[in-house]
């Protein structure tokens, strides 16, 4: 295993926060996450040209999870490689690559319960059609535990780290322990200032697994997630900063979990608050952001605690 595989960030602007993709400069080059429809042409091609690399030569498209800002450009990128690249995603999130409608259904099943927007389904449908470059069948479905051979002795291990989504994975360059986690390490969240995860218990276990078992030498996050002071983490955290980000994410999840349990035990109350019916949670942790801004992690996360609470009753 060669221990000097180069990793290059490919940053695409979008909305209120940047989209991070990464180029692994192996014999069979890989791109981790693909941004949205426009990202391959507007972001990746010019950045690769600066490196003296061609997008046509990419042979692996590694998707950390199924949200639109990570797989939206997958079909477009695949086409630019002459359909030669292998498109990899965990089986738990594969429906989101196969179907734009699955993203709308996800909104209806969770966030629509809390957000009063009569135009939401139309808006979500339009967004999915615009931001996702195409529906497609993945080349390779993974479960975790696989090793992907990028040639020249370079291998990438797949680790299943559910929580943010059911099919979130980390890709680890073997030997040098560079770890790509997408949105599985939320810290204080990105533009919304609140961490988003669908399955709280799984999220907590995945963070602990990354901290205690994977132990990144470098940790690559999917967005400019923020530390305890609200400052975005740098692109590519060294081992010390990676452990700090993981521990901070674990500690913040514990605070949110405690507030959520208390709120649920007391009984949910509908109010005029934008945070209803989870207003006590926002108050307990001092959250003052706008919970309605998409992707609305406040409601996604609290809904996850609500499901776990109901299941335990």
């Amino acid at each position: 295993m060669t221990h000097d595989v180069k990793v290059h960030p490919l940053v695409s602007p979008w909305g209120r926060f940047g989209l991070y993709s990464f180029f692994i400069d192996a014999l069979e080059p890989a791109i981790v996450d693909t941004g949205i429809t426009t990202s391959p042409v507007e972001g990746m091609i010019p950045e690769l040209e600066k490196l003296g690399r061609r997008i046509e030569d990419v042979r692996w498209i590694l998707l950390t999870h199924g949200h639109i800002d990570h797989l939206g450009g997958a079909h477009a990128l695949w086409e630019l490689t002459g359909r030669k690249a292998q498109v990899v995603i965990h089986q738990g999130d594969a429906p989101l690559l196969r179907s734009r409608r699955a993203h709308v259904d996800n909104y209806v099943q969770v966030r629509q319960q809390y957000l009063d927007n009569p135009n939401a389904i139309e808006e979500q449908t339009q967004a999915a059609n615009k931001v996702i470059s195409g529906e497609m069948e993945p080349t390779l479905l993974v479960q975790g535990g696989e090793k992907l051979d990028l040639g020249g002795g370079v291998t990438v291990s797949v680790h299943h780290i559910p929580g943010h989504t059911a099919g979130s994975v980390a890709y680890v360059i073997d030997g040098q322990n560079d770890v790509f986690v997408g949105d599985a390490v939320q810290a204080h969240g990105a533009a919304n200032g609140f961490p988003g995860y669908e399955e709280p218990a799984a999220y907590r276990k995945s963070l602990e697994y990354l901290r205690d078992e994977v132990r990144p030498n470098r940790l690559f996050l999917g967005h400019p997630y923020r530390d305890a002071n609200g400052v975005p983490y740098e692109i590519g955290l060294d081992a010390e900063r990676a452990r700090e980000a993981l521990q901070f994410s674990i500690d913040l999840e514990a605070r949110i979990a405690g507030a959520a349990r208390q709120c649920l035990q007391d009984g949910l109350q509908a109010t005029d608050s934008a945070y209803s019916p989870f207003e006590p949670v926002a108050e307990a942790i001092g959250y003052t952001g706008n919970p309605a801004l998409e992707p609305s992690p406040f409601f996604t996360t609290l809904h996850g605690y609500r499901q776990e609470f109901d299941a335990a009753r």
Side-chain angles (χ1 to χ4, degrees):
M1 167 65 206
T2 302
H3 290 190
D4 60 353
V5 184
K6 301 298 182 185
V7 174
H8 302 279
L10 307 173
V11 181
S12 302
W14 186 51
R16 294 165 288 121
F17 50 84
L19 309 178
Y20 294 170
S21 301
F22 301 95
F23 178 69
I24 303 175
D25 198 357
L27 186 63
E28 295 185 11
I31 287 180
V32 181
D33 287 337
T34 62
I36 59 173
T37 295
T38 56
S39 296
V41 170
E42 296 183 2
M44 296 176 189
I45 288 178
E47 289 303 312
L48 290 176
E49 288 177 347
K50 292 177 186 177
L51 300 171
R53 299 293 184 265
R54 305 188 319 150
I55 204 163
E56 294 89 342
D57 296 331
V58 171
R59 288 297 173 265
W60 294 89
I61 299 171
L62 308 179
L63 301 173
T64 62
H65 65 292
H67 285 162
I68 59 174
D69 50 330
H70 292 260
L71 62 65
H75 189 277
L77 175 56
W78 181 62
E79 290 282 0
L80 288 168
T81 70
R83 299 190 171 187
K84 295 178 181 178
Q86 296 197 61
V87 182
V88 183
I89 194 169
H90 189 276
Q91 59 184 6
D93 279 11
L96 297 167
L97 183 63
R98 296 181 177 122
S99 169
R100 291 185 176 99
R101 178 67 201 186
H103 297 264
V104 181
D105 291 343
N106 181 271
Y107 176 90
V108 171
Q109 292 163 8
V110 179
R111 302 190 299 282
Q112 191 180 48
Q113 297 183 43
Y114 310 103
L115 296 169
D116 183 16
N117 180 0
N119 301 316
I121 293 179
E122 180 182 355
E123 291 172 359
Q124 293 290 322
T125 301
Q126 290 176 351
N129 289 337
K130 179 180 180 180
V131 173
I132 299 173
S133 56
E135 301 173 331
M136 65 182 301
E137 183 66 26
T139 313
L140 178 61
L141 285 175
V142 293
Q143 300 180 48
E146 297 85 355
K147 279 188 181 289
L148 311 177
D149 188 351
L150 275 57
V154 177
T155 59
V156 170
S157 294
V158 182
H159 298 253
H160 187 207
I161 48 170
H164 179 67
T165 66
S168 289
V169 298
Y171 296 104
V172 180
I173 301 178
D174 296 321
Q176 65 192 52
N177 224 32
D178 285 355
V179 182
F180 306 87
V181 295
D183 295 350
V185 179
Q186 286 274 309
H188 232 312
N192 290 70
F194 197 92
Y197 41 91
E198 297 174 358
E199 302 173 56
Y203 176 67
R204 179 168 56 254
K205 289 180 181 178
S206 293
L207 291 171
E208 293 170 346
Y209 172 75
L210 288 166
R211 180 194 64 188
D212 300 336
E213 302 296 331
V214 177
R215 305 194 328 189
N217 182 52
R218 285 198 299 173
L219 180 64
F220 294 94
L221 307 177
H223 298 289
Y225 287 113
R226 303 177 185 186
D227 63 17
N229 298 314
V231 178
Y233 283 109
E234 59 270 26
I235 299 178
L237 287 75
D238 64 21
E240 181 178 353
R241 287 281 278 170
R243 186 170 182 85
E244 173 192 303
L246 288 164
Q247 189 60 54
F248 173 63
S249 299
I250 291 168
D251 293 343
L252 181 56
E253 188 281 326
R255 288 182 57 210
I256 296 171
R261 280 194 295 267
Q262 188 62 57
C263 175
L264 291 163
Q265 288 169 2
D266 292 343
L268 295 180
Q269 300 292 328
T271 69
D272 292 334
S273 167
Y275 306 99
S276 176
F278 303 112
E279 183 179 5
V281 179
E283 292 178 350
I285 65 170
Y287 179 59
T288 59
N290 182 350
L293 289 175
E294 279 295 294
S296 306
F298 178 82
F299 289 118
T300 297
T301 297
L302 272 298
H303 180 76
Y305 288 107
R306 183 180 185 178
Q307 285 189 306
E308 290 185 353
F309 180 82
D310 290 344
R313 297 176 68 180

